[in-house]
Amino acid sequence: MRTTRRTAFALLTATAALTVSLTACGSSDTSAKEVTVVGTGEVRGAPDILTAVIGVDVGAPDVSGAVSQSNEKARAMIDAMVAAGVATDDIRTSDLSIQPQYDAGGVNLTGYRAINSVRIIVRDLGKASGVLDAGIAAGGNAARLNTVAFDIDDDSKLLADARTRAFEDAKTRAEQYADLSGTSLSNVVTITEAHNTTGNQNMDTNSMMRSPSAYDMVLAPGTQQVSFEVTITWALS
């Protein structure tokens, strides 16, 4: 009986030792080696379209007068810009409002103010200045040019180039760390990106363009920078 007990105890002890050994091996094998780096990629491109919000601001003693005058001037403005090179499909209403106006005390009604603005897209930048000039001239003293912005109509190629540069930058950094640590890059584990577009693309011209004397505007599209930042984790082997 004692021999049997001793044999069973020995078997249990051996089994426990084997279990601990296997667990340790498993823990060592599953420990992953990784390197995480940040890469950046930047490219520049020239804008090829201009967008602007332009319209009229009219005051009159009564609502019908304000609406009638704003419609007349807005139509004249739109017709002039179309004649100067804007496609009708690239003109859409952005602001249409009628507001009562009061005296300084805010008690007595003095009239009504009607605003009619459109957002336009000029796809031929060579015509941009002429289009804005024509619209403002047609609107007269009621003309308002609120914002002007340059943009790239199709920036997919720039985005692809910036993304490629960011990935290559990250890979170069990761390979250097792998060499320094005596390892080599394996498969990509994760990729996280951030995209940004910057440039001298917006101009606030609200105060400058309240007088039709500011004709023959000089427009400078400049360039836009498209950049990507990627955070990539590689497995190391």
Side-chain angles (χ1 to χ4, degrees):
M1 179 63 69
R2 289 181 178 179
T3 301
T4 302
R5 288 180 178 178
R6 288 177 181 177
T7 302
F9 178 76
L11 288 173
L12 287 173
T13 302
T15 301
L18 180 60
T19 301
V20 171
S21 177
L22 288 174
T23 303
C25 289
S27 175
S28 177
D29 290 343
T30 57
S31 60
K33 295 180 179 179
E34 298 177 344
V35 60
T36 300
V37 295
V38 177
T40 58
E42 298 178 351
V43 294
R44 301 192 74 89
D48 54 9
I49 63 171
L50 175 144
T51 61
V53 176
I54 185 171
V56 295
D57 188 338
V58 176
D62 52 70
V63 172
S64 61
V67 171
S68 176
Q69 291 182 50
S70 67
N71 286 342
E72 179 181 352
K73 290 184 177 294
R75 173 48 57 191
M77 178 178 283
I78 291 172
D79 290 343
M81 291 189 294
V82 170
V86 176
T88 54
D89 289 344
D90 288 329
I91 301 175
R92 65 176 175 83
T93 299
S94 65
D95 184 13
L96 186 62
S97 65
I98 304 171
Q99 302 171 353
Q101 302 297 295
Y102 297 91
D103 60 14
V107 177
N108 299 315
L109 181 67
T110 59
Y112 292 86
R113 177 187 179 195
I115 297 174
N116 192 335
S117 300
V118 294
R119 179 180 182 272
I120 66 169
I121 301 175
V122 183
R123 301 187 184 278
D124 183 349
L125 291 185
K127 299 179 180 180
S129 181
V131 167
L132 296 179
D133 289 347
I136 293 167
N141 288 329
R144 300 291 183 270
L145 178 58
N146 297 314
T147 57
V148 173
F150 291 98
D151 205 352
I152 299 173
D153 191 26
D154 183 4
D155 63 354
S156 57
K157 179 62 167 59
L158 290 177
L159 292 177
D161 290 346
R163 188 180 289 112
T164 297
R165 292 187 183 188
F167 184 90
E168 291 175 347
D169 181 48
K171 187 175 182 181
T172 298
R173 296 168 186 263
E175 287 174 340
Q176 182 179 7
Y177 285 120
D179 290 340
L180 292 172
S181 61
T183 59
S184 60
L185 296 186
S186 183
N187 58 294
V188 173
V189 179
T190 60
I191 299 178
T192 304
E193 71 172 28
H195 163 231
N196 184 38
T197 300
T198 59
N200 55 332
Q201 59 192 48
N202 294 293
M203 298 180 289
D204 186 353
T205 57
N206 188 52
S207 58
M208 179 185 73
M209 295 311 303
R210 288 192 180 278
S211 169
S213 62
Y215 289 167
D216 300 324
M217 290 169 292
V218 177
L219 301 175
T223 60
Q224 290 186 15
Q225 176 177 291
V226 177
S227 61
F228 265 98
E229 182 179 281
V230 292
T231 303
I232 306 177
T233 299
W234 270 274
L236 297 176
S237 58

